[in-house]
Amino acid sequence: MPGLNLFTSNRLEVLSARLADILRFPLPSPLAPELIVVQSKGMEKWLRMELARRQGVAANLVFPFPNRMVAELSKVVLGLEEAEAFSNPHQLTWKVMDSLLHCIEKPGFETLKRYLGGQNKELKLYQLCSRIAYLYDQYLVYRPEMILSWEKGEGDHWQAELWRQVVRGAQVLHKARLRQLLLQALKESPPTGKRLPQRISVFGISTLPPYHMEILAALARQVEVNIFVLNPCKEYWADIVPKRGISAIHRKEEGIQADPDMLHLETGNRLLASMGRLGRDFQQIALDLDPVEHHEFVDFQPQSLLTHIQHHILNLHQPSPEEKIAVDEGDRSIEIHSCHSPMREMEVLRDNLLALFDHNPHLLPKDIVVMAPDIELYTPYIQAVFGAQEDNHYRIPFTIADRSLGHEGELGRTLLKLLTLHQTRFKASQVLDLLEAKAVREKFHISEQELSTIRGWVANAGIRWGIDESYREKEGLPGVRENTWAFGLDRMLLGYALPEDPGRPFQGILPFERAGVTDPELLGRFSEFVHTIFRHYHDLQGKKGLGWWAEKLQDLLDDLMAPDEGSVEEYHRLREIFAGLAAQEREGFHQEVGIHVLIQHLEERLEGQGLGYGFLNGAVTFCALLPMRSIPFKVVCLVGMNYDAFPRRGKTLQFDLMARHPRRGDRSRREDDRYLFLEAMV
């Protein structure tokens, strides 16, 4: 039946059981997919396996993220799609960059004009527009009414003026406008003839902005909408205030300072009040929509230190200093280890995991999750400690999830190395470093053993840096050919082409005999690799349009790398990024940019995307904090919880209008991390 249902529990297993009960009632159409909105690939995989375990099979399930859900609803209800240039901040950056150049001389833009002065103007322009585009993307979701008011002519500051230039007076189908049209369509003329989803479930999401919640509430008038939320406390706790907050409120309320009790402020559980702001706000946003509530909390008799904390949070109780908790001396439910370095953290973690396996024979690697605020920082230490164990008896299987393409993907990293070569002097070590990538070696049929041979050739042939003498002249140095790549390759090829005559130069070049004698075919493949790099180098000079850059990047990828079965998905992701560049030129961005801007753009895109591998693969899962925090594991480990790393401090831009006037439900990286820690404990 249509309606908005809110299911809450302190156990995710209970929520998954309630979802399984609902899914047992089939949809009217046997071919209609079951729509379950999640916020991470890790949650999707866990829920899919949990439903399969409970029902015997889990099929025809679709797991969109919240923004994808809204996009699909817009297609169904309105027959409209979001404008690609406004779909994410990376695409929007080019629109802002084009528009800012038209506005920079206008009154109100003096601060931006001063910032863009001096050297590296083009790169600074791109970086500034990237920050502005990120803010606009946040405004579209968290301040949609403000964006729409700007388009009507309201607002006389530079952000409003720049946005009007970005949209250029058109009714752009961005997130704010789609929300407006979607709410109107669902409210004023119910789309009974449209193929709306027959049922929508939202599972395991700690918070959603009012943008998505309002759309779900409007949709609930037509279809069944079920929201499953992990709630650490069974009491109403949306109004509790941390101690520091109470003191701040007392200072502000001058009229009733003499009697603070008149404010009726409560802390409840101090840990919940201090770290639960994100959950409190979301709870209030959800309850304001007047859903039908379903509560199913699991209480238990506390025995360990951890269960005592969980029990107090669940019942909104703060024990007094006089209340003593008896804990067994061997209680290991909560442990804190202080280590002097990330490497030592991993060593201590490994020793403790081995002790746990020894103490509990039923504990399996898949029952353990290890989360870090910055998984990229800890990846080399994880691999060094857990991957270097040769004794199978002490070896702990592990996977590392939630890594970005810029770190996990080989093709993307190698492509960035190729592009940044032009900023170097083409040192022998830098060029040979490209052959460390398996995809490059596969393209030129060079094995790992042959790479060692090539390194010896390069060193003995005297290659140090520079393409040739003309390259050195461009660097402002004498045009000397010796010790360049052209000089060294000439020596190697002459060593193969000429008869052996040690010590006799040919036209001023001393042949390097050993290269041709040992493996002439390898020499030919290596020579092709070097000349391919230098051919592309000459094409990368100067400024070009985004369409040209898209084609050149694709050529670099195809000419220098051969993706295998394991990297084919990354290859397609890169092609999508290149296609996005070409689309920007088709949509009106005709400025030419240099390679520095292109490198910056690629770094941001690769850093913001992941392959989604490594979740719940039957081994210990190492991951970032976000995707797996509320999934139930028998052992939860947190590493890298240093004072300067957790909670993470979001950098607020000086011109961020949301930070000046915050609202309930606004995004806060710091509050998100604090609630994350709370969820990990309960």
Side-chain angles (χ1 to χ4, degrees), residues 170-182:
Q171 297 285 314
V172 176
L173 293 174
H174 46 61
K175 291 182 180 68
R177 188 164 304 283
L178 286 176
R179 166 189 170 273
Q180 181 188 49
L181 296 175
L182 199 54

Side-chain angles (χ1 to χ4, degrees), residues 580-640:
L581 285 172
Q584 287 298 322
E585 187 171 71
R586 292 194 300 270
E587 292 183 11
F589 186 87
H590 298 302
Q591 294 182 41
E592 294 187 340
V593 298
I595 195 170
H596 293 85
V597 170
L598 186 73
I599 291 172
Q600 180 79 28
H601 175 73
L602 282 178
E603 287 177 345
E604 292 176 358
R605 293 304 307 271
L606 294 175
E607 193 65 31
Q609 290 194 33
L611 294 173
Y613 297 152
F615 293 108
L616 304 171
N617 288 339
V620 175
T621 300
F622 288 85
C623 65
L625 286 164
L626 176 63
M628 308 276 283
R629 58 189 182 189
S630 56
I631 295 177
F633 287 89
K634 292 181 180 179
V635 178
V636 176
C637 305
L638 301 172
V639 297

Side-chain angles (χ1 to χ4, degrees), residues 9-13 230-235 237 268-272 297-319 325 327 331-334 629-636 638 676-682:
S9 176
N10 60 324
R11 286 288 177 265
L12 206 64
E13 305 96 312
L230 186 69
N231 189 345
C233 181
K234 66 181 182 181
E235 306 294 339
W237 58 286
N269 180 274
R270 273 189 284 179
L271 192 61
L272 190 63
F297 292 91
V298 179
D299 207 346
F300 41 83
Q301 185 63 35
Q303 296 178 346
S304 64
L305 178 59
L306 177 61
T307 54
H308 271 95
I309 292 175
Q310 293 171 339
H311 177 74
H312 292 319
I313 292 176
L314 178 64
N315 294 280
L316 198 61
H317 172 66
Q318 177 61 43
I325 299 175
V327 179
D331 181 17
R332 298 189 63 186
S333 58
I334 297 179
R629 58 189 182 189
S630 56
I631 295 177
F633 287 89
K634 292 181 180 179
V635 178
V636 176
L638 301 172
L676 177 157
F677 184 80
L678 188 69
E679 281 188 326
M681 282 200 303
V682 301

Side-chain angles (χ1 to χ4, degrees), residues 188-249:
E188 297 175 2
S189 55
T192 54
K194 302 288 185 179
R195 294 188 301 169
L196 286 173
Q198 297 171 8
R199 182 166 57 204
I200 292 182
S201 300
V202 180
F203 192 90
I205 295 180
S206 301
T207 183
L208 276 177
Y211 176 96
H212 298 97
M213 293 299 291
E214 290 170 0
I215 292 174
L216 287 170
L219 189 64
R221 301 188 187 102
Q222 312 295 324
V223 300
E224 179 184 345
V225 177
N226 303 305
I227 302 177
F228 298 84
V229 179
L230 186 69
N231 189 345
C233 181
K234 66 181 182 181
E235 306 294 339
Y236 177 77
W237 58 286
D239 291 336
I240 65 173
V241 184
K243 252 189 171 182
R244 288 185 301 175
I246 292 177
S247 301
I249 293 173

Side-chain angles (χ1 to χ4, degrees), residues 443-583:
K443 181 66 178 181
F444 295 94
H445 308 289
I446 296 173
S447 68
E448 196 168 352
Q449 293 75 17
E450 290 173 331
L451 177 58
S452 177
T453 302
I454 290 173
R455 289 187 182 279
W457 292 351
V458 170
N460 292 323
I463 299 174
R464 297 296 179 263
W465 67 274
I467 299 175
D468 53 24
E469 62 272 25
S470 60
Y471 174 87
R472 288 189 170 180
E473 288 177 351
K474 290 179 182 178
E475 294 288 311
L477 297 170
V480 179
R481 189 177 179 84
E482 282 74 10
N483 300 114
T484 64
W485 280 97
F487 167 80
L489 286 175
D490 284 347
R491 289 194 63 199
M492 294 182 194
L493 293 171
L494 280 175
Y496 168 69
L498 296 179
E500 187 173 353
D501 192 0
R504 188 173 207 176
F506 176 80
Q507 295 187 359
I509 301 174
L510 182 64
F512 178 61
E513 298 87 351
R514 280 177 289 178
V517 171
T518 56
D519 196 338
E521 291 186 5
L522 176 60
L523 175 60
R525 297 195 297 270
F526 174 61
S527 177
E528 180 187 4
F529 160 74
V530 174
H531 284 100
T532 302
I533 289 178
F534 295 153
R535 173 169 55 83
H536 283 290
Y537 161 76
H538 293 295
D539 293 339
L540 296 177
Q541 306 306 305
K543 296 183 178 182
K544 307 289 193 307
L546 293 184
W548 187 93
W549 280 119
E551 292 182 6
K552 175 51 65 176
L553 290 173
Q554 187 63 56
D555 290 343
L556 278 171
L557 198 61
D558 293 337
D559 291 352
L560 284 156
M561 284 173 267
D564 56 13
E565 186 177 350
S567 58
V568 66
E569 183 175 346
E570 183 189 2
Y571 177 81
H572 291 302
R573 294 279 188 92
L574 290 172
R575 291 196 62 176
E576 290 175 4
I577 295 175
F578 306 157
L581 285 172

Side-chain angles (χ1 to χ4, degrees), residues 36 62 67 97 154 162 181 212 259 275-276 290 303 309 317 336 351 353 378 398 405 425 431 460 496 527 547 603:
I36 305 175
V62 179
N67 283 340
M97 190 173 175
E154 300 177 20
L162 178 59
L181 296 175
H212 298 97
D259 189 6
M275 295 190 161
D290 194 25
Q303 296 178 346
I309 292 175
H317 172 66
I336 299 175
D351 291 344
L353 292 184
Y378 277 81
F398 71 96
L405 273 178
R425 289 189 168 187
V431 175
N460 292 323
Y496 168 69
S527 177
E603 287 177 345

